[in-house]
Amino acid sequence: MLALLLSIATAFSPEEEKITPPARPNIIFIISDDHTSQAISAYGSKLAKTPNIDRIAREGAILYNNIISNSICGPSRATLLTGKFSHTNGYKFNEKVFDINQPVFPEELQKNGYQTAWVGKMHLGSLPHGFDYLNILPGHGSYYNSDFVNSQNQTKRYTGYVTDVVTQLSTEWLDRRDPNKPFFLVVGHKATHREWLPAIEDLGAYDNVTFPIPPTFYDNYEGRLAAQKQDMSIDKTMRLKEDLKVHVDYDAPNGNLTYTRFTPEQRTPFYNYYEGKVSKEFDEKKLSGKALVEWKYQRYMRDYLATANSLDRNIGKLLDYLDKTGLAKNTVVIYTSDQGFYLGEHGWFDKRWIYEESLKTPFVIRYPGVIKPGTQVRNVVSNVDWAPTLLSLTGTAIPGGLQGKSFLPVLTGQKANWQDQAYYHYYEYPEPHHVAPHFGLRTDRYTIARFYGPDNFWELYDIQKDPHNLKNLYGQKGYEKITASLKAQLREHIVRNKDDEALKLFESSPQ
């Protein structure tokens, strides 16, 4: 079966005949929101324990260099669905409407006899084709008692914490599916998206922990013009009321997170914790300056990681379900996030940058009998490669037009001819965080980026020597040949992927 799968993985043209493995696996693709590898113990994190995510990694493979091609929520999911970069699928920014008239890879799975479903967060402003069942959060949804929209565009509110509800709806669909057909299920979690509302049972889970201040927390952004002009710092951008829940008005709507949704049983412990403890502590300390910034950081970390607790717990529920139903032995389980996230590095929260913490996303995958337990993959792959990889896992022919490539050979140790490079292009400016648009290339050692918009300039980093992207090497003596080579490689990616906007900017770039 392995040899057959590998032969399928190399297919990349519409002329290839569809080849079906003897036992087509089911696939559960769990994708969270803003859950970064710095918060996952399988990646060496000391901040929190994630035993169920760790289990997937231990029983399968863990990827250390999975690059996101446009590090924000909706565009990442659009790339998953299409196997195409943002400039090709048209979904460059959040809060737009995904074009449902374009092909999506689950349609190919349906042609190959798969049942397909997506439950939870999708964040595309539309309901794409290719799914037999949809039950989707509108926009970001709400942490408590969220609405869901089904395939018929009907809205229903479900009582409970959103991570629990997404898991419940997912297992309910699994219970009533046709057991004679393989399935592909996306489990889309809202956690750990801002404003980080933990489940009631996780309130205060990290209150006895004092988190170490990241070494780059007080970064001065020397040599990085765009970083100097951003608006995503814990110091200046993170809000006491909306983000850290200090003196919240519980009787007024707060955007998507409407506290008026609470049931009395939810509101009482939530109010007692944030008003009776957190807000009281804030008032008593009367903080300012550096002490206030570091208090905000501690509160941010406690809420973020407490919110992540329910995520890992529900992944465990899903793994237990697979074990109890006997599905585990022929079901591929993948856990990933839509992008990385800053946990105080550079003094930031949020994502967007081509810098390491937001550029890379966690990715662990288990496929019993095919992927060797304990596999560690350090090759550079991209989320544009997710769709062709999922197709090749199921023995489904990969159609023409996809811009990614299956990395199944990498997962199974067949690493020949794999190009350790990933293309990146971020667009969303100026709001919400004033991160200048930029495009670039991440290789196994270097990152090169061209920023544009308010300012036009280049940045270059040696990731081996500078994993936190602190020292911009562009224009420095001794890096002329490396710079020229990386620019040439970047141009090849731009031309191959037909990013016309980037090509014009590249050709008019400052030296």
Side-chain angles (χ1 to χ4, degrees):
M1 179 177 175
L2 176 57
L4 182 56
L5 282 166
L6 292 178
S7 69
I8 296 164
T10 60
F12 203 70
S13 76
E15 289 78 21
E16 293 286 345
E17 293 184 6
K18 182 170 65 178
I19 306 173
T20 304
R24 293 177 296 171
N26 308 305
I27 296 180
I28 294 181
F29 191 94
I30 308 166
I31 180 168
S32 63
D33 200 300
D34 295 342
H35 191 217
T36 189
S37 57
Q38 303 98 279
I40 297 174
S41 43
Y43 283 89
S45 173
K46 305 300 183 183
L47 301 175
K49 298 296 184 183
T50 51
N52 296 296
I53 296 173
D54 296 357
R55 178 187 169 188
I56 300 172
R58 185 174 63 253
E59 296 176 356
I62 181 170
L63 279 66
Y64 289 95
N65 289 295
N66 190 343
I67 305 304
I68 297 298
S69 57
N70 181 4
S71 184
I72 47 175
C73 306
S76 178
R77 290 171 179 79
T79 293
L80 161 63
L81 278 176
T82 61
K84 299 174 184 177
F85 293 100
S86 298
H87 66 272
T88 304
N89 65 45
Y91 203 85
K92 300 177 180 179
F93 312 92
N94 277 330
E95 316 310 335
K96 302 297 181 181
V97 177
F98 177 78
D99 178 9
I100 64 172
N101 293 314
Q102 62 184 310
V104 292
F105 86 88
E107 292 175 307
E108 302 303 316
L109 294 177
Q110 287 179 321
K111 295 174 187 176
N112 196 21
Y114 272 74
Q115 300 164 93
T116 58
W118 188 314
V119 176
K121 183 169 181 180
M122 183 179 278
H123 198 197
L124 294 176
S126 60
L127 298 178
H129 302 297
F131 292 96
D132 302 304
Y133 175 77
L134 292 171
N135 214 346
I136 303 301
L137 294 170
H140 293 289
S142 297
Y143 274 109
Y144 285 87
N145 310 325
S146 187
D147 296 333
F148 283 74
V149 180
N150 66 18
S151 305
Q152 290 73 46
N153 211 28
Q154 298 168 328
T155 300
K156 180 179 178 180
R157 183 167 298 183
Y158 289 84
T159 301
Y161 189 68
V162 67
T163 313
D164 298 329
V165 174
V166 167
T167 301
Q168 176 189 334
L169 294 174
S170 297
T171 55
E172 286 177 355
W173 179 79
L174 288 170
D175 285 338
R176 63 176 182 267
R177 67 186 171 83
D178 183 347
N180 297 311
K181 294 181 179 180
F183 65 82
F184 170 73
L185 168 64
V186 178
V187 181
H189 285 297
K190 173 180 173 62
T192 48
H193 195 277
R194 189 185 187 189
E195 282 89 3
W196 316 294
L197 272 66
I200 296 299
E201 62 201 280
D202 295 313
L203 293 173
Y206 293 89
D207 282 4
N208 293 327
V209 179
T210 300
F211 294 98
I213 301 297
T216 62
F217 190 77
Y218 291 107
D219 190 352
N220 63 9
Y221 315 121
E222 181 182 356
R224 290 156 288 152
L225 185 58
Q228 295 169 19
K229 297 182 177 183
Q230 49 69 35
D231 181 21
M232 51 182 278
S233 70
I234 292 172
D235 180 7
K236 298 178 181 178
T237 315
M238 186 170 284
R239 306 160 298 180
L240 286 166
K241 180 178 179 181
E242 293 87 349
D243 293 322
L244 302 180
K245 281 76 77 178
V246 174
H247 294 310
V248 168
D249 184 351
Y250 287 86
D251 296 313
N254 180 26
N256 250 351
L257 303 172
T258 306
Y259 291 102
T260 52
R261 289 176 180 263
F262 279 142
T263 65
E265 294 78 15
Q266 295 164 343
R267 174 170 168 151
T268 297
F270 197 93
Y271 179 91
N272 289 343
Y273 177 71
Y274 281 105
E275 195 63 28
K277 182 175 181 179
V278 175
S279 299
K280 182 180 178 182
E281 176 189 313
F282 175 78
D283 292 341
E284 291 175 347
K285 287 182 177 290
K286 301 185 187 310
L287 300 169
S288 62
K290 182 178 179 181
L292 175 58
V293 177
E294 294 190 4
W295 184 88
K296 290 171 71 176
Y297 168 72
Q298 295 296 331
R299 283 304 330 156
Y300 164 47
M301 292 298 294
R302 288 165 184 163
D303 280 353
Y304 178 98
L305 294 173
T307 303
N309 276 3
S310 70
L311 179 61
D312 187 77
R313 185 167 58 245
N314 275 274
I315 291 170
K317 291 179 183 178
L318 199 51
L319 295 176
D320 289 344
Y321 174 92
L322 295 176
D323 289 338
K324 291 174 183 177
T325 57
L327 290 169
K329 62 184 179 180
N330 194 40
T331 298
V332 179
V333 179
I334 295 167
Y335 173 72
T336 189
S337 180
D338 50 1
Q339 65 265 319
F341 208 71
Y342 293 96
L343 298 183
E345 299 90 357
H346 308 286
W348 295 338
F349 65 100
D350 209 71
K351 51 262 186 176
R352 303 172 192 277
W353 301 90
I354 198 171
Y355 306 147
E356 290 292 284
E357 293 90 351
S358 53
L359 178 67
K360 298 193 296 186
T361 200
F363 192 101
V364 294
I365 176 172
R366 183 183 77 179
Y367 187 178
V370 175
I371 297 175
K372 184 179 178 181
T375 296
Q376 296 187 356
V377 177
R378 300 190 183 276
N379 296 78
V380 177
V381 303
S382 170
N383 65 330
V384 78
D385 301 320
W386 291 352
T389 301
L390 292 167
L391 289 170
S392 63
L393 280 164
T394 62
T396 305
I398 301 172
L402 274 65
Q403 294 176 299
K405 183 178 180 180
S406 171
F407 54 82
L408 179 58
V410 174
L411 296 173
T412 53
Q414 307 297 316
K415 300 180 182 180
N417 301 319
W418 187 261
Q419 186 179 35
D420 280 318
Q421 299 181 346
Y423 181 63
Y424 186 83
H425 197 161
Y426 169 79
Y427 304 84
E428 196 168 79
Y429 180 84
E431 299 300 335
H433 288 295
H434 289 254
V435 174
H438 53 285
F439 58 88
L441 186 67
R442 164 66 152 78
T443 73
D444 57 351
R445 177 162 181 176
Y446 295 99
T447 294
I448 189 167
R450 162 70 154 88
F451 287 79
Y452 63 95
D455 302 284
N456 297 288
F457 58 94
W458 288 88
E459 292 184 1
L460 170 66
Y461 300 96
D462 184 334
I463 303 161
Q464 287 185 9
K465 296 180 179 179
D466 179 23
H468 298 295
N469 307 118
L470 296 174
K471 186 176 178 61
N472 180 10
L473 300 172
Y474 189 84
Q476 293 199 12
K477 187 176 180 180
Y479 286 89
E480 294 87 355
K481 290 183 179 180
I482 292 172
T483 300
S485 174
L486 289 169
K487 278 189 171 183
Q489 294 172 64
L490 172 58
R491 190 181 187 282
E492 288 178 8
H493 280 266
I494 292 170
V495 172
R496 181 194 317 150
N497 297 315
K498 301 179 180 179
D499 191 346
D500 295 338
E501 178 184 12
L503 183 60
K504 290 178 181 177
L505 289 162
F506 183 94
E507 300 294 1
S508 62
S509 292
Q511 297 301 314

